[in-house]
Amino acid sequence: MSVNPMAYEAQFFGFTPQTCMLRVYIAFQDYLFEMMLVVESVILKKLDGFPGCKISPCQIRKSTEKFLLFMKEHFDKLFSKMEEVLLQLVLNVPENVLLPEDKVHEQYPYTKEQFQALQDEIQQLQQQYRAEASAGQALQAELEEQKAVRAELEKILQWFDGLDNICREHGTSNFKESFAFLTQNSKKLQDVLKDVEKKSKKIKKHDQLL
Amino acid sequence: GNGDGDPSVPATPGRAQVFAAVVDTFLEKLVTAGSYQRFANCYRCFYKLQPEMTRSIYDQFVSQLQTSIKEEIQEVKEEGNLEVLFNSLDKIVEEAKDHKEPAWRPSGIPEEDVRSAMVPYLLKHRSYLQKVLKEKEEENRKVAESVLAGRDRIAELQQLIQARKLAWQ
C-alpha cells in the first residue's frame, strides 16, 4: 500500500496531517513518561517518611516500569485509532472536493494545444488591430489634406463669384462684353490719335512752307 | 443540540466537533485502561502501606495527564488556526456535495498547472481585442466614406473653376 503524501491537505492546512499527528504523539508520550517519573519520585519521597518500611527504591522502579509498559501499550493502540479517524475524517480533503483557490483548473481545463491556439488567436487579433490602426491614420491624413485643398479651391471660386458681383453692382450687364468693347475702343482711340498726329505734322509742314 | 441550526435537518458533526470528540474518547479510554485497580496492583507494596496516599497520587497523575494532553491539543489548534480551517473546510465540502466526480488535483508539473490559471486573463484579453478591433473597423469605415465624399467634392470644385475659367476667355 503506497503512502498517501496528503499534499492537497497540506496545501489547505499549511502542514502535512501526518506530521501534525507525529508531533502530537511525541508530545503525549513525553507527558506520559514525565507523569510516571513524577509519580515515582513522589512515592519515593513518601517512603522516606517511613524509615522502617521494607520497600526498596528498586521495587518502586519495577512497579513504575510495569505500569508504564502497560500504559504505553494501550496508549499506542488508542493513539493509532485516533490518528486513523483524524486522518480520514478531519484532516482530509475528500476526493470530490476542489479547493476554491483551484477553481480555474476545473473551469478552464485547457490542453497545451488549446492554450497555444488561444495565444495564436490573440496574436492574430493584435496584428489585425495594428493594421486597422495604421489604415485609420492614413485615412485621417488624407482627410486633412482634402480640407486644405478644398479651402483653396473654394477661395478661387469665391473670387470668381466676387468679380461677377462687382459687374452686376456697377450696371455693366456683361462685363466680358464691355471689357472686349473697351479693348476695341482703346484700339480705335489709338488709331485716331495716330491720325491726328499725322495730320498735325502735315499742318506744321504746310505752315512752314507758307 | 444546535441552537441556531435548522431543526428539521440533523446536523452532521463538523470537523471541529469530531476532532474534540475523538480526543476526548482517546483520553477516556486511556484513563479507563490505566485504572486505579491497575495502578494499585502495580504499586502493590506501596498500596498496602499507604492506600489513601496511593489513591491521591493516582488521582493527581490522571488529572495532570489529562490537563497536559488537553493543553497540547489546544496549542496545536491555536498554532494551526484549526477551528477556522475546520469550519472553512466543512463549508467547502458541503458546497461540493453534488460534485460526484474526483476533483482536479495538482499535477506536480508547474507549467501544466499554470496554464489554466492564465486562461481567464487570456480570454479577457481576447474579448478586449475583439471589441477594439470591431470599433476601429467601424471608425475606419466611416472615415473612408468621408474621404470618398471629399474626393467627389474636390473634383466638383475643380470642374466649376474650369467652367468659370472658360467663360472669361
Side-chain angles (χ1 to χ4, degrees):
Chain A
M1 187 178 83
S2 64
V3 175
N4 175 11
M6 297 188 91
Y8 206 49
E9 282 76 7
Q11 182 180 319
F12 177 78
F13 285 107
F15 57 78
T16 323
Q18 296 98 324
T19 311
C20 178
M21 288 284 93
L22 184 63
R23 169 218 165 134
V24 170
Y25 175 81
I26 290 173
F28 285 10
Q29 196 180 244
D30 284 351
Y31 291 136
L32 181 62
F33 287 6
E34 231 180 84
M35 297 298 113
M36 287 311 309
L37 281 177
V38 168
V39 162
E40 188 182 72
S41 67
V42 166
I43 291 178
L44 287 174
K45 236 209 209 131
K46 295 292 178 204
L47 281 180
D48 285 344
F50 292 87
C53 83
K54 290 194 212 103
I55 306 168
S56 70
C58 193
Q59 276 178 281
I60 299 298
R61 174 41 66 100
K62 277 224 181 74
S63 300
T64 307
E65 282 174 357
K66 194 169 164 199
F67 188 68
L68 184 58
L69 190 66
F70 176 78
M71 285 296 276
K72 182 79 166 57
E73 253 180 56
H74 283 265
F75 171 84
D76 283 343
K77 251 190 249 155
L78 290 169
F79 192 90
S80 184
K81 274 213 201 106
M82 175 171 80
E83 181 177 6
E84 203 183 309
V85 173
L86 290 181
L87 290 182
Q88 269 184 12
L89 296 182
V90 176
L91 294 172
N92 79 319
V93 178
E95 255 195 20
N96 70 318
V97 171
L98 183 70
L99 296 178
E101 68 231 38
D102 291 330
K103 220 192 274 193
V104 277
H105 293 104
E106 288 217 330
Q107 283 177 320
Y108 306 111
Y110 273 53
T111 64
K112 208 194 266 188
E113 292 77 25
Q114 288 173 308
F115 189 74
Q116 187 60 44
L118 182 58
Q119 284 182 310
D120 291 342
E121 197 180 337
I122 285 175
Q123 224 187 12
Q124 197 189 34
L125 284 169
Q126 283 174 327
Q127 280 178 343
Q128 281 179 289
Y129 181 79
R130 262 180 255 135
E132 280 298 319
S134 44
Q137 276 185 329
L139 286 171
Q140 286 291 347
E142 179 169 341
L143 216 56
E144 285 302 308
E145 254 185 55
Q146 282 184 350
K147 242 200 259 174
V149 168
R150 212 175 30 245
E152 281 302 311
L153 293 178
E154 278 168 357
K155 248 203 287 188
I156 295 173
L157 214 54
Q158 265 180 359
W159 182 78
F160 273 113
D161 287 342
L163 281 180
D164 281 341
N165 284 343
I166 291 173
C167 299
R168 237 169 279 133
E169 272 172 35
H170 290 250
T172 341
S173 51
N174 200 335
F175 188 43
K176 300 184 196 94
E177 277 185 17
S178 313
F179 194 70
F181 177 69
L182 257 178
T183 349
Q184 283 179 347
N185 274 2
S186 69
K187 262 189 101 194
K188 277 201 191 135
L189 267 172
Q190 278 183 338
D191 291 339
V192 167
L193 272 172
K194 268 203 203 136
D195 253 359
V196 167
E197 229 183 291
K198 247 200 251 170
K199 285 203 177 128
S200 76
K201 270 195 193 152
K202 264 197 193 157
I203 293 175
K204 268 203 188 140
K205 256 193 186 167
H206 276 177
D207 270 347
Q208 280 182 337
L209 285 176
L210 282 178
Chain B
N2 195 358
D4 40 61
D6 180 353
S8 61
V9 176
T12 0
R15 281 170 164 72
Q17 269 176 284
V18 172
F19 186 76
V22 164
V23 171
D24 285 345
T25 307
F26 166 79
L27 267 179
E28 221 183 274
K29 293 216 166 108
L30 188 64
V31 169
T32 306
S35 64
Y36 177 59
Q37 286 95 319
R38 180 70 61 161
F39 184 78
N41 188 36
C42 291
Y43 288 99
R44 203 174 308 147
C45 30
F46 186 77
Y47 170 72
K48 289 209 183 106
L49 191 67
Q50 286 286 304
E52 291 108 21
M53 185 117 298
T54 310
R55 179 81 222 191
S56 143
I57 291 175
Y58 170 79
D59 287 340
Q60 277 206 351
F61 161 73
V62 165
S63 154
Q64 197 53 42
L65 185 64
Q66 284 178 318
T67 305
S68 301
I69 284 180
K70 286 193 179 144
E71 270 177 14
E72 178 66 23
I73 289 295
Q74 191 57 32
E75 227 181 88
V76 169
K77 272 168 70 173
E78 276 166 20
E79 264 182 44
N81 198 22
L82 292 186
E83 282 285 334
V84 171
L85 289 180
F86 287 158
N87 292 338
S88 165
L89 188 51
D90 285 338
K91 240 189 251 158
I92 294 170
V93 169
E94 174 66 22
E95 280 164 13
K97 70 175 176 215
D98 295 327
H99 191 290
K100 305 294 182 200
E101 301 284 306
W104 176 88
R105 287 290 182 263
S107 67
I109 306 168
E111 297 90 17
E112 300 255 335
D113 295 346
V114 86
R115 234 185 274 139
S116 295
M118 289 196 57
V119 167
Y121 294 106
L122 290 185
L123 289 177
K124 249 197 231 159
H125 192 39
R126 181 181 71 174
S127 69
Y128 166 76
L129 284 174
Q130 285 170 331
K131 176 171 94 99
V132 294
L133 179 60
K134 205 158 169 212
E135 285 172 0
K136 203 49 153 167
E137 283 172 343
E138 179 61 24
E139 185 188 313
N140 286 355
R141 195 188 58 76
K142 290 207 188 107
V143 176
E145 271 181 19
S146 302
V147 164
L148 288 177
R151 288 185 191 167
D152 286 343
R153 174 69 182 145
I154 284 176
E156 193 186 358
L157 286 171
Q158 285 173 328
Q159 276 183 349
L160 288 173
I161 289 172
Q162 202 52 28
R164 296 279 207 284
K165 263 210 244 172
L166 285 175
W168 278 89
Q169 277 172 350

